[in-house]
Amino acid sequence: MANFSENVLEYAYSAGVNEYLTAVVDYYGSLGIKLSNKEVLSTVGGSEALQIVMNCILDVGDEILIPEPFYPNYNTFVSIANADIVPVPTTPEEGYFYAEKSRFEAKITPKTRAILISNPGNPTGVVLTPEQMRVMADIAKEHDLWLISDEVYREFVYGGEDLATMLVYEDIADRLIIIDSISKRFSACGARVGAIISRNQAFMAQALKLCQGRLSNATLEQVGAAALYAMDGDYFTAVREEYKKRRDTVMAGLGNIPGAVCQCPGGAFYIMASLPIDDANKFLIWLLEEFEDNNETVMFAPGASFYATEGKGTNEIRIAYILNCQDLARSMELLGLAVAQYNQQQGV
Amino acid sequence: MANFSENVLEYAYSAGVNEYLTAVVDYYGSLGIKLSNKEVLSTVGGSEALQIVMNCILDVGDEILIPEPFYPNYNTFVSIANADIVPVPTTPEEGYFYAEKSRFEAKITPKTRAILISNPGNPTGVVLTPEQMRVMADIAKEHDLWLISDEVYREFVYGGEDLATMLVYEDIADRLIIIDSISKRFSACGARVGAIISRNQAFMAQALKLCQGRLSNATLEQVGAAALYAMDGDYFTAVREEYKKRRDTVMAGLGNIPGAVCQCPGGAFYIMASLPIDDANKFLIWLLEEFEDNNETVMFAPGASFYATEGKGTNEIRIAYILNCQDLARSMELLGLAVAQYNQQQGV
């Protein structure tokens, strides 16, 4: 970006700066997916990608199926479209597993337009197997629904598997929309560069109109994003190794907390767990206001905000393992101490 | 931006980077308007500012009054909110004058929630006098409506007047929302940095939620925008002088086209005019495909796209005077030649 030499910072083309679109196409090429620049739209992060998609495919009162727990801002984008989220339930005991036909079919109504999944999942860290991805593709196909696959955490998988995308299933090309972003891939959240990817030309023509309505994404950020895509693969190997260690550190810590329920998640950088506490919100406030051990405390995201169903997730927490391993180990130690002390105070 | 030295490009605060908010507050201070940082939200250009405002204040089926002709993307933002634009009519013969109570009152229904004006106006170049601004404030106040004042062309006024903002009318502080942007002010369209400004705390709390829903505006662009606000006033003096010359060049050229109707606009960098032709769209295609004089032709934005009312603006055009004076003079000469030749061919 520092080398940018144009005299005037003009509006970029609404679909995106060409070198950024090409970089995205080349990146997918490296995953074995052949795309053209016209199948990619540059967006202001994954957030705007989601917003544009919802505005394109959801009319007032339409329904979209989302496995819960889910990323809370999905609520924002669906409610702006005046549509409704219908949550598909999962449980911590099953490791938040959702890729099953019957779970979705139980929720489909004449108003259902789409299924939205995050894979790898935020907040659960769930990574679908190829078989499970195929199940999701089949559900969308059999019920004539859009499938929106939010794949912004693609690189963050720890089982040695190949990087996955729903784009491999060419039989759902006409109903598949990928949400992508450089925010996590290159740790560049503040650049606000993402993408909508779809082979459905009619959909892309409508999405382009909304892109034109807001004129363009920032020129320089797209130039910078294109440069990031030129980074070599060693970057990801190192990142993956580090995050895997962090995940294992948190899992080991959780294993030492009696009553904590959590299956080891395969990806993203989140762990969702249920704790033997009455209310994670209440517990969090207590952690921040009253608890301390050697002048230290710990915090997390309370689980209920990731659920659409009232009353669910009350005793669950989301841990983002974005600290170094030493701090994470100490955090889990603090969490264990705090759970015991909190329950003792409550007379549990 | 080239001097940015943080190691990680993190999400900015959803409301905006503090130094950008402070720069906007200081800028308004120089206009005699006292704001606090909490009365400003950083947005992805004026476009996102408009989108967030519409999503906040308009429910499904609500109506918003906008003098027509208006900036066509207002359609995008209002339709995303599933609301309806009710156009307030004007005419080229009256110089697109709209600031009159009766015109708005004739269009107010129980569904009316807001009035949106662009001042200085795109596409008309109309600049409200202080008396006319007061009229608009009174209409909003008397009918309990939001007044959204899109002031992104504030610096582009050519009558020697002080720079204006509706923020001077403190009695409408609770219903006033300003749309602002650095795109035109500093010729930095590609940065995508704008602002929502309002003293209505309840509104700003809701707008902040939508800002949080999309996480943040690009960090570096806001840092750059803050730096632009430090530029000294001589920049604007030079810009204003240049644009005034351009406006006068176009007006002189239009004066030489028999049957062209246009009152000299006071601001922005647009002139809207009606021409003695049957259809500006048809004329434009003819200009691009058939007409030439010394291998040169001319183009403009056809007027109809700036109107919500079917059939209006058919023989009107919007000229953006963003070329140098010599090119503009030649363009007007070409336009005059073309109108005569086009009408001759049509047998007019």
Side-chain angles (χ1 to χ4, degrees):
Chain A
M1 287 168 68
N3 294 333
F4 186 77
S5 61
E6 302 289 327
N7 279 328
V8 179
L9 195 54
E10 294 180 340
Y11 288 120
Y13 177 48
S14 297
V17 168
N18 210 48
E19 64 194 279
Y20 168 65
L21 300 178
T22 300
V24 173
V25 166
D26 290 349
Y27 161 81
Y28 277 89
S30 77
L31 304 181
I33 303 293
K34 213 180 151 186
L35 291 174
S36 76
N37 285 26
K38 291 202 167 184
E39 292 164 333
V40 182
L41 289 169
S42 171
T43 60
V44 183
S47 297
E48 194 196 35
L50 284 159
Q51 187 60 72
I52 289 173
V53 168
M54 298 308 164
N55 287 334
C56 280
I57 68 173
L58 297 177
D59 283 331
V60 177
D62 280 352
E63 293 172 356
I64 178 167
L65 303 179
I66 312 181
E68 70 175 352
F70 57 80
Y71 176 54
N73 283 327
Y74 289 164
N75 288 304
T76 311
F77 308 130
V78 175
S79 70
I80 285 174
N82 289 291
D84 297 307
I85 291 175
V86 175
V88 175
T90 69
T91 65
E93 288 75 14
E94 294 176 300
Y96 304 100
F97 166 74
Y98 61 84
E100 191 174 41
K101 265 191 196 179
S102 59
R103 290 181 196 235
F104 286 85
E105 287 176 344
K107 299 291 181 178
I108 291 173
T109 78
K111 289 182 178 176
T112 313
R113 292 290 166 271
I115 296 170
L116 167 58
I117 59 170
S118 156
N119 181 40
N122 174 7
T124 63
V126 166
V127 177
L128 297 181
T129 64
E131 294 71 28
Q132 290 169 340
M133 287 171 68
R134 185 63 248 181
V135 167
M136 294 313 302
D138 287 341
I139 299 170
K141 198 173 166 182
E142 286 169 27
H143 295 276
D144 193 18
L145 301 174
W146 292 100
L147 180 61
I148 307 161
S149 187
D150 181 346
E151 303 182 350
V152 301
Y153 294 97
R154 182 178 298 119
E155 276 69 21
F156 299 83
V157 287
Y158 312 117
E161 62 269 68
D162 288 340
L163 300 187
T165 171
M166 291 295 306
L167 284 164
V168 294
Y169 302 107
E170 294 189 2
D171 60 321
I172 56 160
D174 57 340
R175 61 183 67 259
L176 179 64
I177 302 165
I178 304 292
I179 304 296
D180 210 341
S181 166
I182 67 160
S183 296
K184 280 82 184 180
R185 185 165 298 143
F186 301 112
S187 190
C189 306
R192 314 310 294 126
V193 180
I196 296 169
I197 299 164
S198 179
R199 288 176 168 137
N200 182 317
Q201 290 180 29
F203 162 76
M204 289 299 268
Q206 297 304 316
L208 177 58
K209 285 183 195 170
L210 292 186
C211 288
Q212 289 164 335
R214 57 52 156 160
L215 301 173
S216 68
N217 192 2
T219 307
L220 274 166
E221 307 296 334
Q222 294 183 75
V223 169
L228 286 175
Y229 271 104
M231 206 142 60
D232 74 33
D234 289 354
Y235 169 77
F236 295 112
T237 308
V239 166
R240 228 173 343 252
E241 276 172 18
E242 172 61 24
Y243 276 98
K244 186 178 177 181
K245 272 187 216 152
R246 293 177 182 184
R247 179 198 64 174
D248 295 342
T249 303
V250 174
M251 284 306 298
L254 282 171
N256 292 328
I257 302 177
V261 176
C262 178
Q263 287 195 16
C264 184
F269 36 73
Y270 304 110
I271 289 177
M272 191 102 184
S274 80
L275 294 181
I277 49 168
D278 58 343
D279 183 321
N281 264 309
K282 220 172 103 188
F283 178 53
L284 180 59
I285 291 166
W286 178 84
L287 276 168
L288 296 175
E289 292 187 348
E290 299 185 39
F291 175 79
E292 63 91 15
D293 180 74
N294 201 21
N295 267 324
E296 291 177 316
T297 188
V298 61
M299 68 178 287
F300 48 73
S305 59
F306 297 92
Y307 284 87
T309 304
E310 193 74 31
K312 284 196 74 175
T314 311
N315 69 333
E316 293 172 47
I317 67 169
R318 188 196 72 169
I319 297 162
Y321 44 94
I322 51 175
L323 306 176
N324 64 51
C325 285
Q326 198 182 337
D327 289 345
L328 285 169
R330 171 64 177 151
S331 298
M332 290 304 104
E333 185 183 29
L334 286 166
L335 188 64
L337 287 169
V339 167
Q341 195 177 314
Y342 175 80
N343 282 335
Q344 199 168 25
Q345 287 203 341
Q346 304 267 311
V348 175
Chain B
M1 287 168 68
N3 294 335
F4 186 77
S5 60
E6 302 290 326
N7 279 328
V8 179
L9 195 55
E10 293 180 340
Y11 289 119
Y13 177 49
S14 296
V17 168
N18 210 48
E19 65 194 279
Y20 168 64
L21 300 178
T22 301
V24 173
V25 166
D26 289 349
Y27 161 81
Y28 277 89
S30 77
L31 304 180
I33 303 292
K34 214 181 151 187
L35 291 173
S36 77
N37 285 25
K38 291 201 165 184
E39 292 166 331
V40 182
L41 290 168
S42 171
T43 61
V44 183
S47 297
E48 194 197 35
L50 284 158
Q51 187 61 72
I52 288 173
V53 169
M54 297 308 165
N55 287 334
C56 280
I57 68 172
L58 297 176
D59 283 332
V60 177
D62 280 352
E63 293 173 355
I64 178 167
L65 303 180
I66 312 182
E68 70 175 352
F70 57 79
Y71 176 53
N73 283 327
Y74 289 164
N75 288 304
T76 311
F77 308 129
V78 174
S79 71
I80 285 173
N82 289 291
D84 297 308
I85 291 175
V86 174
V88 175
T90 69
T91 65
E93 288 75 14
E94 294 176 300
Y96 303 101
F97 166 75
Y98 62 83
E100 191 175 41
K101 266 191 195 179
S102 58
R103 291 182 195 235
F104 285 85
E105 287 177 343
K107 300 291 181 178
I108 291 173
T109 78
K111 290 182 176 175
T112 312
R113 292 289 166 272
I115 296 170
L116 167 58
I117 60 170
S118 155
N119 181 40
N122 174 7
T124 62
V126 167
V127 177
L128 297 181
T129 63
E131 294 71 28
Q132 291 169 340
M133 287 171 67
R134 185 64 248 181
V135 167
M136 295 311 303
D138 286 341
I139 299 169
K141 199 174 167 182
E142 286 170 26
H143 295 276
D144 193 17
L145 302 174
W146 292 98
L147 179 62
I148 307 161
S149 187
D150 181 346
E151 302 182 352
V152 300
Y153 294 97
R154 182 179 297 120
E155 275 69 21
F156 298 84
V157 286
Y158 311 118
E161 62 269 70
D162 289 339
L163 300 187
T165 171
M166 290 296 304
L167 285 164
V168 294
Y169 303 106
E170 295 189 2
D171 60 322
I172 57 160
D174 57 340
R175 61 184 68 258
L176 178 65
I177 301 165
I178 303 292
I179 304 296
D180 209 342
S181 165
I182 67 159
S183 296
K184 280 81 184 181
R185 184 165 300 141
F186 302 111
S187 189
C189 306
R192 314 309 294 125
V193 180
I196 297 169
I197 299 164
S198 179
R199 288 176 169 138
N200 182 316
Q201 289 180 30
F203 162 76
M204 289 299 268
Q206 297 304 315
L208 177 59
K209 286 184 193 169
L210 292 185
C211 288
Q212 289 164 336
R214 58 49 158 159
L215 303 174
S216 68
N217 191 5
T219 307
L220 274 166
E221 306 297 334
Q222 294 182 76
V223 169
L228 286 174
Y229 272 104
M231 207 143 59
D232 73 33
D234 289 354
Y235 169 76
F236 295 112
T237 309
V239 166
R240 228 173 343 252
E241 277 172 16
E242 172 62 22
Y243 275 98
K244 186 178 178 181
K245 273 187 216 152
R246 293 177 182 184
R247 179 198 65 174
D248 294 342
T249 302
V250 174
M251 283 306 298
L254 282 171
N256 292 329
I257 302 177
V261 176
C262 179
Q263 288 194 14
C264 184
F269 36 73
Y270 304 110
I271 288 176
M272 191 102 183
S274 80
L275 294 181
I277 50 169
D278 60 343
D279 184 320
N281 263 309
K282 219 172 105 188
F283 178 52
L284 179 60
I285 292 166
W286 177 83
L287 276 168
L288 297 175
E289 292 186 349
E290 299 184 40
F291 175 79
E292 62 91 16
D293 180 75
N294 201 20
N295 267 323
E296 291 177 317
T297 188
V298 62
M299 70 178 286
F300 48 74
S305 59
F306 297 91
Y307 284 87
T309 305
E310 193 74 31
K312 284 196 74 174
T314 311
N315 70 334
E316 292 171 49
I317 67 170
R318 188 196 71 170
I319 297 163
Y321 44 94
I322 52 175
L323 305 176
N324 64 51
C325 284
Q326 197 182 337
D327 288 346
L328 285 169
R330 172 63 177 150
S331 298
M332 291 304 104
E333 184 183 31
L334 286 165
L335 188 64
L337 287 169
V339 166
Q341 195 176 313
Y342 175 81
N343 281 335
Q344 199 167 25
Q345 286 202 343
Q346 303 267 312
V348 176

